[in-house]
Amino acid sequence: GQNIDQPTEMTATEGAIVQINCTYQTSGFNGLFWYQQHAGEAPTFLSYNVLDGLEEKGRFSSFLSRSKGYSYLLLKELQMKDSASYLCAGESYNTDKLIFGTGTRLQVFP
Amino acid sequence: DAGVIQSPRHEVTEMGQEVTLRCKPISGHDYLFWYRQTMMRGLELLIYFNNNVPIDDSGMPEDRFSAKMPNASFSTLKIQPSEPRDSAVYFCASSLSAGLTLNTDTQYFGPGTRLTVL
């Protein structure tokens, strides 16, 4: 099967930097998406990586290594509103599907 | 522009009853996805459509689940009969294209329907 693995929970302090890792089977996926989901709300798109390297968007950056089956989401200058679940999703080869990890719940403390 | 619209937002029903969830995708999007989200299993793809045609329903749990897309602006997910284990949040999402090229478009999610089967 196609597996996406990410930590279940993380905590961090306001103003700090946090890195959320995601690993996946290299044979199964094309690109990697990151979504943010606040409690009780829908997932919203954060980033997409299809090439190796770092994509930066303001306080959020996402990295992909296709050969290692590894991605991370980096959040800088954490704010309380960043408390949410962060979902890693692999774009399945030769299909139109996204396979989601179970998400990492991030809690930001003052 | 309106995003993906789902109704109802909350549904409470009794075991054995029929449940119909509704979705209106973003205008012009030609892909529509139905997901189910639970604490235990996370976000799971149930079925998706391209240009109103079901492409992959391998995620549909069993025959009690069915989905239709009679036109480009409307889709339904039906559970008949419903069971307590169907309790979950059901999301509908749509996209312009579904990601086989470098210009992939993202999936935009509706607000979800929280289903509780007693």
Side-chain angles (χ1 to χ4, degrees), chain A residues 16-91:
Chain A
I17 299 173
V18 71
Q19 178 174 312
I20 303 174
N21 297 325
C22 172
T23 58
Y24 63 95
Q25 292 178 270
T26 57
S27 60
F29 299 111
N30 187 27
L32 252 289
F33 285 82
W34 284 96
Y35 279 79
Q36 180 191 58
Q37 185 177 24
H38 284 100
E41 298 183 10
T44 55
F45 170 76
L46 284 179
S47 68
Y48 172 67
N49 295 67
V50 68
L51 301 176
D52 285 357
L54 190 68
E55 295 275 345
E56 297 188 71
K57 280 187 182 181
R59 294 190 300 114
F60 292 5
S61 303
S62 58
F63 172 84
L64 178 66
S65 169
R66 294 163 60 99
S67 62
K68 295 182 180 178
Y70 170 65
S71 174
Y72 67 72
L73 181 69
L74 192 71
L75 292 78
K76 303 176 187 175
E77 301 170 17
L78 279 174
Q79 302 175 9
M80 298 296 291
K81 67 177 182 178
D82 297 329
S83 294
S85 287
Y86 291 87
L87 308 174
C88 174
E91 180 182 42

Side-chain angles (χ1 to χ4, degrees), chain A residues 35 37 42 48 50 91 95 97, chain B residues 37 56 99-100 102 104 107 110:
Chain A
Y35 279 79
Q37 185 177 24
Y48 172 67
V50 68
E91 180 182 42
T95 75
K97 300 194 290 191
Chain B
Q37 187 174 40
D56 186 340
L100 297 181
L102 288 178
T104 187
Q107 294 182 21

Side-chain angles (χ1 to χ4, degrees), chain B residues 12 22 34 36 45 50-51 61-62 73 78 80 89 91 93-94 108 112 114:
Chain B
V12 180
R22 297 173 177 79
W34 280 102
R36 176 173 68 177
L45 178 66
N50 179 22
N51 292 320
E62 47 197 273
S73 59
K78 186 176 292 186
Q80 166 65 16
V89 180
F91 287 105
S94 69
Y108 295 88
R114 182 173 294 276

Side-chain angles (χ1 to χ4, degrees), chain B residues 13-15 17 59 64 67 72 82 89 98 115 117-118:
Chain B
T13 191
E14 292 187 344
M15 184 174 64
Q17 296 298 306
R64 298 184 297 106
S82 58
V89 180
L115 173 65
V117 183
L118 302 175

Side-chain angles (χ1 to χ4, degrees), chain A residues 102, chain B residues 37-44:
Chain A
T102 52
Chain B
Q37 187 174 40
T38 61
M39 289 292 292
M40 291 296 294
R41 300 174 66 90
L43 198 59
E44 303 173 282

